[in-house]
Amino acid sequence: MISLNEEAGAAWTGTFRQEVEKIFSPDGLLAGAANYEHRTEQQQMAGEVAAAIENGGHLVIEAGTGVGKSLAYLIPAALYALRTKRKAVISTHTIALQEQLMYKDIPLVQKLLPVEFGAALLKGRHNFLCGSRLERALSQSGDLFTSEQRMELERIREWSLTTRDGSLSDFLEQPEPAVWEEVRSEDHVCTQKTCAKNPRCFYQAMRRRALSADIVVLNHALLFTLLGGIDEQEGRESGLLFPKDFVIFDEAHTIEDVASRHIGMEISQLGLRRGLQRLYNPRTKKGLFQAMKNGPACSVIAELMPRADAFFDQVADRCAFKRNREFRVREAGLADASDLTDGLVRLTEFIKIQAGREEDETRKSELQDAARRLGEARFGINDFLRIEQPDHVYWVEQYGRREIFHTLRAAPVDLAATLQRMLFRENTCTILTSATLSLGGGNMNYFRNRVGATESRAVQIGSPFDYQKQMTLHLVKKMPEPRDPGYDAALEKWIAHFADQSKARAFVLFTSYTTMRTAAQAMESHFADKGWQLLVQGNGMPAHRMVQEFRENPHSVLFGVDSFWSGVDVPGEALSNVIITRLPFATPGHPLTEARLEAIEAEGGRAFEQYSLPEAILKLRQGVGRLIRAKTDTGMIVILDSRILSKPYGRAFLRALPECPTTIH
């Protein structure tokens, strides 16, 4: 392997950190690149990342908007991965950043560095077509699918002949879930042994690319899924996903929320139904057991499916769901699951007997996998109803429009100890970075305590942007508080006022779907009269398409909720105004939030000051960060919540924002 030093013709004697900092210096390797602009902040961050990787420590690094975080960690990561044969794992929260890394930043680094390295995008296996399962589904389509589903299967077959990567993202129109579940990659069924030679097993092809790549990019959700439990992680000698790997979390401000959804329990009514219907669907008379001509097993499933729905109906009847459709369960014995669990035991025995008869190894694996999943569901239901873990919060979620379904959930109230043992062990290197990890004033203790990174080195690097010249802040003292009469009318009035000032080109960020929809309906004619396009989240257009429309039409106003507060990048004049309708305090009614607040109070703390306020400050900083994305950007931030001026805690919000000219209306 040619080292960077040899290729560049320089004799380096310094540390890896010094070498990387030299690359980012005004006369370094990057200086000759087109459109490259030296940034002291980027050079500092690259040096910190290089030192952490080389020394094997853990690092929490806040780097303000405009630092150029991606290059600052990709270059040291690529060099160190090549030299040590250790894999660099980059985890992001949003698809947008993954795509930016894979299709823009990494190709740029590959051109800039005089060494070659490979990168791969890692997706969850359920995203991928398995060629072996597709062949089997085609051969048994008459027993597995209805006539309409067979047409869908044929569409998937035709798509498989031309698809680039064989994943769901390559579909123009997503396939029907019931059909896709029969042809997608599955644990214990789609394996290296069974599928390695199949040219249309796209998961195994992706897996081979990931194993050979120097850099692997994935999202937080998949990473926590692959990490497994604490015991599994603590049993590893080194690394998190690969031996001796090092992991960089970009958009790290989201990892607690993502981890809370993946570390814990989830039993889905819809998921259980689909699992049973894969074996046999009493309505369509199709399924695996139908293909095997196992009539007794089909009868067991036909009896079991109404029992499953009856159990979840009983659960729903005992839950007083709030507006956000969650109900916290505080006592054991919410419902009687004996009919359901007895049926699951009986069905599992039928599956095991059938698997024992199977000579086809792939079919045997499918049956064994089904038995394992049903066993997990049975144990999960019993565990949920017993509520035996005092450090967990248990709740039921209700979802669906045409048909209502329910999910049983449980999660640790405090993830810090769990994450500390999983991510910040010895013989691992974990780096967390984001533009918003502090509460202002350089203090990142709140974030570090929440994610278990208390022993990690903490570094804060400011933004290179000149906010005094690039941004103005507008606060509206005349705005009624959210619960006051006349709030909706005043909100619409001030949104119109400030959108008019920026001639559209505005993001309007809400904390409530209901408030957003009410404002959108009331203001539709105002924007239409001006010839402006109004884009409203939840109206059927995907978020990425909304952003694209907003960029392309200079006379657009976008109304969005949670997903538009972070991870959205619209540089230039297209976005000149970010209107924040309300300070983003988390809904205290969500069971997990409620339990966290109670835990703080139980220990003698002050929940508002120690949790609600810091969380809201971090989210406000994310929302404000949507505006200035480049040194040439200018625009206004508008906060339509008078509490930022009237309440004592308002000063904490203001201290956390960039210093810039401020006008009070």
Side-chain angles (χ1 to χ4, degrees), residues 165-377:
D165 69 350
S167 77
L168 287 170
S169 62
D170 207 23
F171 273 101
L172 289 176
E173 182 180 343
Q174 294 293 287
E176 182 186 335
V179 180
W180 181 253
E181 286 171 5
E182 287 298 328
V183 299
R184 71 187 185 185
S185 177
E186 292 277 9
D187 288 323
H188 313 299
V189 177
C190 173
T191 66
Q192 191 174 6
K193 179 181 177 181
T194 60
C195 298
K197 295 182 180 180
N198 192 313
R200 286 190 290 173
C201 185
F202 295 94
Y203 173 74
Q204 294 300 330
M206 182 274 296
R207 181 177 176 274
R208 288 192 294 272
R209 290 194 299 271
L211 288 173
S212 63
D214 302 291
I215 295 178
V216 171
V217 178
L218 76 168
N219 63 33
H220 299 342
L222 177 58
L223 185 141
F224 281 108
T225 299
L226 296 175
L227 282 178
I230 295 176
D231 294 339
E232 184 178 340
Q233 275 304 304
E234 292 185 330
R236 299 178 66 96
E237 291 185 8
S238 65
L240 294 184
L241 297 183
F242 303 91
K244 298 182 180 180
D245 65 15
F246 53 95
V247 180
I248 300 170
F249 287 88
D250 201 344
E251 300 178 310
H253 58 278
T254 65
I255 65 171
E256 184 186 15
D257 285 340
V258 175
S260 69
R261 292 194 294 272
H262 289 81
I263 299 173
M265 177 196 304
E266 176 184 331
I267 307 295
S268 161
Q269 179 182 7
L270 182 58
L272 180 58
R273 177 186 290 186
R274 285 180 174 171
L276 293 173
Q277 287 177 339
R278 280 188 61 193
L279 296 171
Y280 178 68
N281 188 329
R283 183 179 60 82
T284 63
K285 305 292 192 291
K286 304 294 182 181
L288 281 176
F289 278 134
Q290 179 66 30
M292 297 172 184
K293 311 304 180 187
N294 190 329
C298 293
S299 297
V300 170
I301 296 173
E303 294 174 6
L304 182 58
M305 291 192 67
R307 294 188 195 180
D309 287 337
F311 165 73
F312 281 101
D313 287 344
Q314 185 185 139
V315 167
D317 288 342
R318 299 182 180 181
C319 296
F321 290 104
K322 299 178 182 178
R323 264 191 319 184
N324 49 5
R325 310 185 94 181
E326 292 112 7
F327 176 77
R328 183 175 175 186
V329 181
R330 296 177 181 270
E331 297 180 356
L334 176 68
D336 181 3
S338 56
D339 277 355
L340 173 57
T341 55
D342 288 349
L344 290 172
V345 170
R346 188 176 176 213
L347 176 59
T348 302
E349 290 302 318
F350 271 93
I351 296 173
K352 289 178 179 177
I353 292 170
Q354 183 68 49
R357 296 172 180 165
E358 281 294 327
E359 296 180 0
D360 186 306
E361 290 299 320
T362 301
R363 179 52 52 81
K364 179 180 288 190
S365 294
E366 287 196 352
L367 289 169
Q368 290 171 338
D369 192 47
R372 179 182 59 82
R373 292 174 187 273
L374 291 177
E376 289 175 351

Side-chain angles (χ1 to χ4, degrees), residues 342-652:
D342 288 349
L344 290 172
V345 170
R346 188 176 176 213
L347 176 59
T348 302
E349 290 302 318
F350 271 93
I351 296 173
K352 289 178 179 177
I353 292 170
Q354 183 68 49
R357 296 172 180 165
E358 281 294 327
E359 296 180 0
D360 186 306
E361 290 299 320
T362 301
R363 179 52 52 81
K364 179 180 288 190
S365 294
E366 287 196 352
L367 289 169
Q368 290 171 338
D369 192 47
R372 179 182 59 82
R373 292 174 187 273
L374 291 177
E376 289 175 351
R378 178 167 59 89
F379 287 120
I381 289 169
N382 285 331
D383 287 346
F384 181 90
L385 295 176
R386 285 195 291 263
I387 309 187
E388 291 181 338
Q389 299 189 66
D391 59 340
H392 280 53
V393 58
Y394 296 77
W395 73 98
V396 181
E397 288 184 0
Q398 182 172 268
Y399 59 97
R401 292 184 179 178
R402 294 181 180 177
E403 187 173 3
I404 301 298
F405 296 101
H406 299 88
T407 297
L408 314 181
R409 292 189 182 275
V413 177
D414 184 1
L415 279 172
T418 300
L419 293 177
Q420 184 175 41
R421 293 167 63 187
M422 292 181 72
L423 303 181
F424 304 104
R425 296 179 287 106
E426 292 185 4
N427 299 321
T428 62
C429 173
T430 302
I431 297 170
L432 309 180
T433 187
S434 170
T436 53
L437 299 179
S438 74
L439 303 180
N443 187 335
M444 289 188 284
N445 289 342
Y446 173 77
F447 172 78
R448 294 166 68 203
N449 289 335
R450 295 298 312 174
V451 301
T454 51
E455 302 301 318
S456 303
R457 174 170 165 75
V459 177
Q460 187 179 30
I461 298 173
S463 171
F465 296 153
D466 187 348
Y467 287 101
Q468 288 284 356
K469 294 181 179 179
Q470 293 180 255
M471 188 173 90
T472 57
L473 175 63
H474 297 261
L475 308 175
V476 182
K477 192 174 184 179
K478 300 174 184 177
M479 184 72 193
E481 290 193 9
R483 295 184 180 180
D484 290 350
Y487 172 77
D488 288 341
L491 184 64
E492 295 151 16
K493 167 194 164 184
W494 287 106
I495 290 173
H497 172 78
F498 287 107
D500 290 352
Q501 285 197 7
S502 60
K503 297 180 174 59
R505 301 180 299 166
F507 271 14
V508 186
L509 302 180
F510 293 81
T511 60
S512 159
Y513 264 109
T514 302
T515 305
M516 179 184 71
R517 284 192 287 264
T518 300
Q521 290 172 1
M523 302 190 69
E524 189 173 7
S525 59
H526 173 83
F527 296 130
D529 290 345
K530 293 180 174 293
W532 296 350
Q533 180 182 28
L534 176 60
L535 301 164
V536 182
Q537 188 174 0
N539 279 2
M541 186 182 294
H544 69 89
R545 180 62 186 163
M546 288 178 66
V547 174
Q548 184 179 338
E549 288 277 342
F550 184 86
R551 286 195 187 105
E552 293 173 355
N553 186 341
H555 300 295
S556 293
V557 177
L558 186 150
F559 282 19
V561 286
D562 193 61
S563 58
F564 283 95
W565 285 74
S566 64
V568 180
D569 191 11
V570 185
E573 292 185 355
L575 178 58
S576 300
N577 186 1
V578 173
I579 301 172
I580 293 169
T581 58
R582 188 169 178 175
L583 296 175
F585 288 108
T587 304
H590 189 284
L592 189 53
T593 302
E594 185 180 56
R596 287 171 176 168
L597 298 175
E598 289 173 359
I600 294 171
E601 296 284 351
E603 294 177 0
R606 303 176 71 173
F608 178 79
E609 295 175 5
Q610 292 175 235
Y611 183 80
S612 300
L613 182 59
E615 287 291 316
I617 289 172
L618 289 174
K619 187 162 185 177
L620 180 68
R621 293 189 65 209
Q622 278 289 322
V624 169
R626 297 314 94 213
L627 181 65
I628 305 299
R629 310 299 297 175
K631 284 192 172 181
T632 55
D633 285 357
T634 58
M636 65 172 73
I637 294 289
V638 179
I639 300 178
L640 298 179
D641 193 330
S642 59
R643 293 175 298 177
I644 201 168
L645 294 169
S646 63
K647 301 293 185 183
Y649 58 72
R651 291 190 293 272

